[in-house]
Amino acid sequence: MLGYGETLTEQIEVKEGGGPKKPPYEFAEAKQRVSAMLANTANSLDRLPASVCPSGESVASIVLHPEYLAKSYSPAGALERLGLRTIGSRSVSVSPEKQTRKSARDSDVSTELFVAGKRSAFRSLSLSIPNWSRIHPAARHLTKLETIAAVDAESRLRQLPSEPDRLLLEVVLHASEHERDRFILAGLKFYLQELGLEWDFENVFFAGNLCFLRIHANPSEAQEVARFSFLRVLREMPRLRVGQKTLSVVYEPKRIELPIKPAVDPGIRVAILDGGMPSDSPLNRWANVRDVPGVGEPGIEYLAHGERVTSALLFGSIASATPDSPLCRVDHFRVLDKESENDPYELYEVLKRVESVLGQGGHEYVNLSIGPELPIDDNEVHAWTAVLDEHLSDGRSFMAIAAGNTGDEPSFNALKPWRVQVPSDCVNGITVGASNKSTRDGWERAAYSSIGPGRSPGIVKPDLIAFGGSDMEPFWAVDSLNPGKASALQGTSFASPLTMRSAIAVRTHFGAVLSPLAIKALLIHCTQPGTFERSEIGWGKLPDTLDEMVICPDNGVRIVYQDVISAAKYKRVHIPLPEIDAPGFAEITATFCFATQIDPEHPGSYTKSGLSVVFRPHRYKFARDDSLHPKSESFFRPGGLYANEHQLRRDAHKWETTLHRRKRKRLSSLKEPVFDIHYVARSKGGSTSSARKIRYALVLTINVPRADDLYNEVVRQYEARLAPLIPVIELPIQLDMD
């Protein structure tokens, strides 16, 4: 495999195109529509009791016309000048009154903005708009608005049980931890006291501009709580999940003899966040077990789970009676205690412990096989997801996250059954589902493995699947309950550390020359795609062997690029395809990965960074005589993720943090091909001029079946820039076995 592909990049200038958009509503019509809707909204808000409108403020919904999805059309700045502020958003389906596009559908995806301000500001705005002229600073935004309305309290509730008993509920507020939002928490506290409800303001969790807290209420009381203006979501408090499935076929534990040698590369910093390990575990010679401050007494089942997850990372599935030495040592942080399973209050406490470990830094590789028992929701981001994504946003860490074991169980908490569990919707981590077999042939998704799609952006979830065990072939792991033996298991809890083990194998093999982000791209790049739905297996199954990732395929060459790019800039990435005197086709496989900051209160605009990638296959072919750059064609085309891409936002593809596709073209149509990448940035769904640089990694494989000497040709032609990645340690191992 060749490295240093970033030497084949250059910054370029691209002239931004596009003229003014023809609005669906004429200015006079827009004034009349918006003024009338605002008047109705003001009437609804005025009828609310003062106790649900802290400091006289309330929240309304503004739905943008579907033709105004791009960040440059955001009206947030204009609203702020008018006394209103955008506090959140989500994607919605809307049927607009008028459309200008000939290809428009009856129903389309758009953005719903949550807008806060004094109730008097909504009334004043409805009265002033009829007097606006076209030169008013906010006039151009009127034609972008499809609907304005007060937020219906019922829309804030998420399928609560019908039993009359009081429940522990999770409250999500539009509120940050900044001083400016203290009045919202104070207002909610007063309102709950007025309703005679119990509350827990001692344990409040903030993620971005969202606040998470807990209350006790029955379903009828929850209806009243949902009237509070700054409430975003009210749902039953999820419990903690620890992902191991019971085998329906019983396998006797088998005898094993663990090695006595130290880890191959003890310098790699790896963390497991789980339930701890028994004090007499034979794995303790390779694991430092640490209790995170604040954790209580250990739970027996959690200790067993933590030990098995650690075994999976150190040894994979133990097929041999004498497994090889592990690749690395492990810091195992115990974040679970015996209260974690039965006490729903523990969910936030566990997250605080997880956050405290991540906040220390120092671990490039982290495994998480636990999380809330809650499937992801398209329109809401949970605190677990937001906290992890923020810690991973600099691209310096690799976190493997178990997708969950609900694939064979119906779910009533998400729009789609059997969906991946929180925090598997992290866009900066790698979410791992489970396959039923360890071998290359005959595998499929394990029945229990939770399925996608994820939220958009982050639509491909799980990212990949790895062997997790099944009734036909269990996953074997060390078990202190059976000293000297391995037990038969199954679950995504073990597929996740197995994927981590693959990442560490690449890191051990090449040393620090490849970043965690590049290794993530390499794992996804080399997945076996199979013939299954993407919602089941993501990009595919984890490769069986290290060779499949680090050695170029026959008649092919693989190159790794690691680089940074600034917001609003363009880079040209040259694809090293030399002149080849051969007939037939070339296949180009490309995988881009980048890390990004996030906006958790804006699920539809969750990622603050995006890469717009254009493929230019032939240097001397232009669309027009006056074109500055060669003609482009689709590579990472919209519609390439899921068949129901039409249900996604039309601008969603560029905001995905992973792009992966292979394309086959005639050699005669390729001449010095390039990718032009453009870093687009946004904040709170709108444009921003203060975005930080982002790291990205690209793994590129070029395969020409009729070119026997392609690798050597590339090495010779680009010897001053590209160079083979030299192994630091040879690892002749299968990754999913011993």
Side-chain angles (χ1 to χ4, degrees):
M1 188 165 63
L2 302 179
Y4 315 103
E6 59 274 13
T7 61
L8 301 180
T9 67
E10 60 180 320
Q11 192 163 307
I12 61 171
E13 297 293 330
V14 176
K15 184 179 180 181
E16 298 283 355
K21 180 187 286 287
K22 177 178 172 56
Y25 305 109
E26 295 297 332
F27 179 64
E29 181 185 16
K31 281 201 305 181
Q32 184 178 6
R33 292 179 74 254
V34 172
S35 179
M37 289 187 291
L38 272 170
N40 290 335
T41 300
N43 290 337
S44 297
L45 298 180
D46 287 343
R47 288 195 293 268
L48 293 174
S51 55
V52 303
C53 302
S55 297
E57 291 202 7
S58 193
V59 177
S61 159
I62 296 180
V63 176
L64 302 182
H65 193 281
E67 294 178 22
Y68 291 93
L69 284 175
K71 60 185 175 61
S72 57
Y73 296 126
S74 172
L79 290 170
E80 192 166 345
R81 289 191 294 271
L82 297 170
L84 304 176
R85 64 188 186 282
T86 302
I87 58 173
S89 70
R90 64 185 177 190
S91 296
V92 293
S93 180
V94 61
S95 300
E97 286 185 32
K98 292 184 178 180
Q99 302 199 61
T100 61
R101 294 181 294 108
K102 293 181 180 179
S103 60
R105 294 178 289 270
D106 292 337
S107 179
D108 211 341
V109 174
S110 189
T111 298
E112 179 183 23
L113 302 176
F114 295 111
V115 179
K118 298 285 187 183
R119 287 190 283 184
S120 58
F122 289 97
R123 174 69 64 190
S124 298
L125 192 55
S126 70
L127 297 174
S128 67
I129 285 178
N131 300 319
W132 287 9
S133 68
R134 292 181 183 273
I135 63 172
H136 190 282
R140 64 187 179 91
H141 293 288
L142 294 182
T143 58
K144 304 173 185 177
L145 310 184
E146 183 59 30
T147 64
I148 304 174
V151 179
D152 180 15
E154 195 69 27
S155 68
R156 297 167 172 144
L157 297 172
R158 294 291 181 273
Q159 295 183 331
L160 298 179
S162 57
E163 290 82 3
D165 297 335
R166 281 195 169 183
L167 306 164
L168 183 63
L169 304 178
E170 184 173 43
V171 175
V172 186
L173 289 178
H174 287 289
S176 70
E177 57 185 328
H178 296 110
E179 184 68 33
R180 66 174 183 268
D181 288 343
R182 292 291 173 85
F183 77 96
I184 299 173
L185 277 173
L188 178 64
K189 188 173 184 178
F190 176 81
Y191 181 53
L192 294 179
Q193 191 172 9
E194 185 179 271
L195 295 175
L197 295 179
E198 301 174 38
W199 67 88
D200 176 23
F201 281 92
E202 297 301 319
N203 293 289
V204 176
F205 215 99
F206 293 96
N209 289 319
L210 296 179
C211 173
F212 297 78
L213 55 91
R214 301 164 287 203
I215 65 168
H216 284 91
N218 62 39
S220 62
E221 292 167 336
Q223 297 277 350
E224 293 299 314
V225 176
R227 299 180 69 192
F228 188 75
S229 289
F230 285 85
L231 186 80
R232 175 155 183 149
V233 174
L234 186 63
R235 60 189 167 217
E236 188 173 8
M237 189 73 186
R239 294 179 181 271
L240 195 73
R241 64 177 167 91
V242 175
Q244 179 177 317
K245 294 291 284 186
T246 302
L247 283 164
S248 60
V249 178
V250 177
Y251 290 81
E252 289 294 326
K254 64 181 181 181
R255 186 166 298 282
I256 59 172
E257 185 175 347
L258 295 180
I260 59 174
K261 292 182 179 180
V264 175
D265 187 350
I268 302 175
R269 298 298 305 279
V270 182
I272 290 177
L273 308 175
D274 213 282
M277 293 204 304
S279 59
D280 60 348
S281 172
L283 302 182
N284 286 334
R285 71 183 71 167
W286 301 286
N288 303 315
V289 182
R290 306 178 183 178
D291 288 356
V292 175
V295 71
E297 292 296 315
I300 301 300
E301 292 185 8
Y302 289 154
L303 290 174
H305 183 267
E307 181 180 48
R308 292 161 181 172
V309 168
T310 303
S311 173
L313 194 149
L314 293 174
F315 299 108
S317 181
I318 305 176
S320 168
T322 56
D324 291 332
S325 295
L327 300 172
C328 63
R329 291 187 58 82
V330 171
D331 290 328
H332 187 123
F333 294 92
R334 187 169 70 85
V335 297
L336 305 179
D337 54 36
K338 64 182 181 182
E339 301 298 328
S340 299
E341 182 177 8
N342 298 317
D343 185 358
Y345 281 89
E346 278 282 297
L347 191 70
Y348 288 175
E349 277 66 27
V350 174
L351 179 55
K352 288 178 181 178
R353 296 167 198 154
V354 168
E355 187 178 32
S356 70
V357 175
L358 297 177
Q360 297 171 15
H363 292 89
E364 284 187 312
Y365 299 90
V366 183
N367 183 81
L368 189 71
S369 293
I370 60 174
E373 192 176 286
L374 182 72
I376 67 165
D377 186 340
D378 286 317
N379 286 323
E380 306 300 338
V381 177
H382 197 270
W384 272 70
T385 299
V387 166
L388 297 184
D389 263 333
E390 193 56 51
H391 278 282
L392 299 171
S393 65
D394 62 2
R396 296 180 184 275
S397 301
F398 181 109
M399 176 178 277
I401 303 169
N405 298 328
T406 59
D408 52 2
E409 300 172 5
S411 164
F412 304 102
N413 296 317
L415 297 178
K416 188 167 184 175
W418 310 289
R419 209 163 182 188
V420 293
Q421 303 283 290
V422 172
S424 296
D425 48 336
C426 281
V427 296
N428 292 325
I430 186 165
T431 299
V432 184
S435 67
N436 64 339
K437 293 182 66 178
S438 61
T439 56
R440 169 181 288 277
D441 300 320
W443 60 267
E444 59 185 30
R445 176 184 67 88
Y448 57 80
S449 182
S450 299
I451 64 174
R455 185 185 301 104
S456 177
I459 192 71
V460 178
K461 294 293 176 183
D463 291 274
L464 52 79
I465 64 172
F467 179 55
S470 63
D471 287 347
M472 70 173 69
E473 182 186 354
F475 193 104
W476 295 96
V478 170
D479 185 359
S480 290
L481 297 178
N482 294 286
K485 296 182 179 180
S487 294
L489 310 164
Q490 61 178 336
T492 58
S493 278
F494 314 117
S496 177
L498 184 63
T499 300
M500 178 67 72
R501 186 168 184 261
S502 296
I504 294 167
V506 176
R507 169 62 173 81
T508 303
H509 188 60
F510 286 128
V513 67
L514 292 182
S515 68
L517 194 61
I519 293 176
K520 174 184 175 181
L522 184 63
L523 263 60
I524 291 172
H525 185 82
C526 297
T527 52
Q528 304 166 25
T531 58
F532 305 99
E533 293 291 331
R534 184 149 289 154
S535 59
E536 294 195 27
I537 66 169
W539 298 112
K541 182 180 178 291
L542 186 74
D544 295 328
T545 65
L546 181 64
D547 286 357
E548 292 175 67
M549 293 185 286
V550 303
I551 295 178
C552 296
D554 294 339
N555 304 103
V557 61
R558 180 169 297 146
I559 309 101
V560 180
Y561 301 67
Q562 302 177 91
D563 205 0
V564 296
I565 187 170
S566 300
K569 299 299 183 181
Y570 289 82
K571 274 201 172 181
R572 176 154 292 170
V573 178
H574 292 270
I575 300 172
L577 180 63
E579 293 283 351
I580 300 173
D581 185 17
F585 292 83
E587 184 178 75
I588 300 173
T589 306
T591 306
F592 280 93
C593 284
F594 65 92
T596 175
Q597 293 180 300
I598 48 101
D599 273 328
E601 67 273 25
H602 296 272
S605 304
Y606 182 62
T607 52
K608 288 188 176 184
S609 306
L611 286 183
S612 179
V613 183
V614 172
F615 178 53
R616 302 189 191 276
H618 201 292
R619 179 180 178 180
Y620 300 114
K621 292 185 178 180
F622 295 84
R624 300 186 309 273
D625 291 341
D626 60 346
S627 296
L628 296 177
H629 302 283
K631 185 179 180 181
S632 66
E633 66 177 56
S634 124
F635 196 98
F636 301 104
R637 67 180 186 275
L641 296 180
Y642 285 96
N644 62 343
E645 181 81 14
H646 68 275
Q647 297 176 5
L648 307 178
R649 295 166 56 106
R650 289 192 302 277
D651 70 339
H653 193 263
K654 70 181 68 172
W655 303 104
E656 295 290 326
T657 56
T658 297
L659 300 174
H660 173 69
R661 192 180 175 229
R662 55 177 47 90
K663 190 177 182 74
R664 189 168 179 259
K665 287 188 67 68
R666 285 192 176 276
L667 275 169
S668 58
S669 68
L670 295 168
K671 176 71 174 178
E672 299 180 32
V674 297
F675 287 119
D676 285 351
I677 60 175
H678 178 211
Y679 170 14
V680 286
R682 61 186 174 186
S683 180
K684 305 185 188 308
S687 300
T688 180
S689 58
S690 59
R692 71 185 187 187
K693 292 181 180 180
I694 61 168
R695 291 179 172 84
Y696 73 90
L698 165 63
V699 179
L700 190 67
T701 298
I702 308 164
N703 192 282
V704 182
R706 298 191 181 184
D708 295 332
D709 203 32
L710 177 63
Y711 179 88
N712 290 326
E713 285 290 338
V714 171
V715 171
R716 281 193 293 267
Q717 184 166 331
Y718 297 92
E719 63 178 348
R721 297 186 178 184
L722 302 179
L725 295 177
I726 306 300
V728 176
I729 299 174
E730 291 288 353
L731 295 174
I733 62 168
Q734 263 188 285
L735 297 176
D736 56 2
M737 307 300 284
D738 70 317

